[in-house]
Amino acid sequence: MLSLHIFLITHTVSEDRINRLNSINFTWEMRRKPRKTSGGNTVKFDIMYEHLRSFKETYGHTKVNKMEKEWKKGTSVPEKKIYRRLPLFVAFVRKEQLKFVQNEESLLDAEKIQLLDDLGLAWKSKLLLHCILHLQSMCLNLYIILFL
């Protein structure tokens, strides 16, 4: 018997089924695609940034999620079809900006963050970012006191 965990559900596989799968050279290991580096994403970033800039020129703000709700309800229609992809882009850059601020590996650099900041994109609450950085500092100090 073998226990497989697929999407948080445990499945048991009998020896007979395992042998049958092995006989057809079944691959038991999952292979994930490697994460793209920031170099390959620069062109995509530039394109989506230009769409976000165009969105701001059209609507006067960068609150794409607010507009997405209206589009889904049918109360309005996006000026350009590509605008429907902007909520995913904004969610992505917010997540990457948070990683950047926390000194983690991020696909955004300071220049891209400044471009978005200049455009008026609302980041996570500055208070939240300040709390996260302060908490990290406190944890580091505690580690130094306890272990060094």
Side-chain angles (χ1 to χ4, degrees):
M1 286 291 195
L2 175 68
S3 293
L4 299 175
H5 302 283
I6 303 171
F7 299 113
L8 303 176
I9 299 172
T10 304
H11 300 276
T12 55
V13 181
S14 67
E15 288 294 324
D16 180 50
R17 184 162 282 180
I18 292 170
N19 291 334
R20 288 179 21 213
L21 289 168
N22 285 336
S23 72
I24 60 168
N25 297 323
F26 180 79
T27 302
W28 291 96
E29 295 178 13
M30 298 232 357
R31 293 188 182 112
R32 292 185 177 199
K33 294 180 181 178
R35 190 172 184 183
K36 294 182 181 179
T37 61
S38 59
N41 288 331
T42 301
V43 173
K44 291 178 187 175
F45 174 86
D46 292 342
I47 291 168
M48 292 307 292
Y49 171 81
E50 285 304 315
H51 290 307
L52 185 60
R53 190 186 56 71
S54 170
F55 177 92
K56 184 176 181 181
E57 286 177 6
T58 303
Y59 294 101
H61 59 78
T62 58
K63 298 175 186 172
V64 295
N65 292 333
K66 176 183 173 188
M67 298 304 295
E68 182 186 35
K69 290 175 185 173
E70 290 182 19
W71 299 333
K72 284 182 177 179
K73 288 180 187 175
T75 55
S76 69
V77 181
E79 182 118 344
K80 295 181 182 176
K81 191 174 181 179
I82 192 71
Y83 289 167
R84 289 189 182 272
R85 295 180 63 201
L86 287 175
L88 290 174
F89 173 69
V90 169
F92 167 77
V93 294
R94 283 182 175 146
K95 183 179 89 174
E96 292 299 316
Q97 185 262 357
L98 189 58
K99 286 181 183 179
F100 182 83
V101 169
Q102 295 174 336
N103 293 321
E104 295 177 10
E105 187 177 330
S106 171
L107 296 175
L108 292 183
D109 56 25
E111 181 183 342
K112 290 176 183 174
I113 291 171
Q114 188 61 50
L115 281 171
L116 293 163
D117 201 33
D118 292 344
L119 192 59
L121 185 66
W123 301 110
K124 299 285 184 188
S125 162
K126 291 189 189 276
L127 177 62
L128 174 64
L129 291 176
H130 176 73
C131 289
I132 289 169
L133 293 174
H134 183 67
L135 183 60
Q136 285 178 336
S137 174
M138 287 175 36
C139 288
L140 180 60
N141 290 338
L142 183 60
Y143 177 82
I144 290 169
I145 291 168
L146 294 174
F147 300 106
L148 298 179

